[in-house]
Amino acid sequence: MSAADGVLREIEPEQIRPVIASALARMRPPAYGDARLSWQRIELSELRSIVHLVRRQRLESACELLGRFQDAGLGPYAPVRTAANGETSLVIPPVAESHGADLVLLDGVHRCLAALACGLRSIEVFVVRGDLPGPPGDVCALAEIGLTSAHPEPERTYRNLRNEDFRRVRDGGGLEAVVRQEIARLTREQP
């Protein structure tokens, strides 16, 4: 996000919140249909993950992205539109589900790990609350997540994963991909 490939504009969380909520509802209608989504500052030590092992390269990319946000004077991983090579893109903030006392990341594990590695204590995230199914696998604190240089096998990435409860995304692109699809769908439906 340099001058040539820079942030076009920060998006107010309340502007993107309904789109993220709609994308979540399309991902898993029964679970997320009535869920509430709020924008909150969360201590990184409070976040949990079902991911127990991440690739070092992805963490390094998230650290670079964090540096670009800081250089642009933006909060860590605030919702923004970016431009690169004439294309615009959307970066959504991390999203966590509330499960009793646990806040389990649904999207943004690498970004939250990068924030922790760079010495940040808290960041703003969207928190999903409602009658949600439990996490689809064992959870761990961010500080307990291991690093690897190789692409880890799913058995090493997740512990006791219950595939039927996994928050799968159709194209494997994560929540951000579903949000982009939802924006495209909503744009097509506007008169």
Side-chain angles (χ1 to χ4, degrees):
M1 287 178 248
S2 65
D5 295 334
V7 173
L8 291 179
R9 68 181 172 94
E10 185 172 5
I11 302 169
E12 288 296 320
E14 280 307 304
Q15 289 178 303
I16 194 72
R17 187 188 59 74
V19 178
I20 293 173
S22 181
L24 286 168
R26 290 175 68 81
M27 259 175 66
R28 264 180 96 85
Y32 295 124
D34 294 324
R36 298 169 314 283
L37 194 61
S38 61
W39 182 243
Q40 293 180 239
R41 177 158 293 279
I42 301 294
E43 295 289 321
L44 290 166
S45 62
E46 293 177 26
L47 292 172
R48 303 290 177 261
S49 172
I50 65 164
V51 175
H52 292 259
L53 184 65
V54 298
R55 288 182 55 211
R56 190 176 317 277
Q57 178 187 8
R58 297 234 11 233
L59 178 57
E60 290 168 358
S61 293
C63 287
E64 289 174 22
L65 180 62
L66 177 58
R68 292 182 191 134
F69 270 74
Q70 292 171 326
D71 290 347
L74 298 171
Y77 311 117
V80 296
R81 285 200 179 280
T82 64
N85 304 322
E87 297 285 323
T88 62
S89 186
L90 176 69
V91 177
I92 66 169
V95 178
E97 295 178 342
S98 176
H99 295 284
D102 285 336
L103 291 173
V104 181
L105 286 164
L106 176 62
D107 188 72
V109 171
H110 295 90
R111 288 171 283 158
C112 290
L113 273 176
L116 186 65
C118 291
L120 298 179
R121 296 174 59 83
S122 65
I123 65 171
E124 290 181 301
V125 303
F126 277 113
V127 177
V128 183
R129 287 188 167 74
D131 187 19
L132 305 172
D138 293 352
V139 298
C140 66
L142 293 178
E144 297 170 351
I145 296 174
L147 296 175
T148 182
S149 296
H151 187 72
E153 296 297 319
E155 301 80 35
R156 293 186 60 216
T157 301
Y158 307 100
R159 301 218 175 108
N160 297 314
L161 184 65
R162 291 179 305 285
N163 281 316
E164 66 277 5
D165 292 331
F166 192 63
R167 278 62 160 172
R168 248 190 198 77
V169 180
R170 286 181 299 258
D171 67 356
L175 179 59
E176 222 166 278
V178 178
V179 168
R180 280 193 290 274
Q181 292 167 3
E182 188 62 8
I183 289 171
R185 185 186 72 80
L186 292 170
T187 302
R188 284 190 306 271
E189 290 179 1
Q190 289 181 352

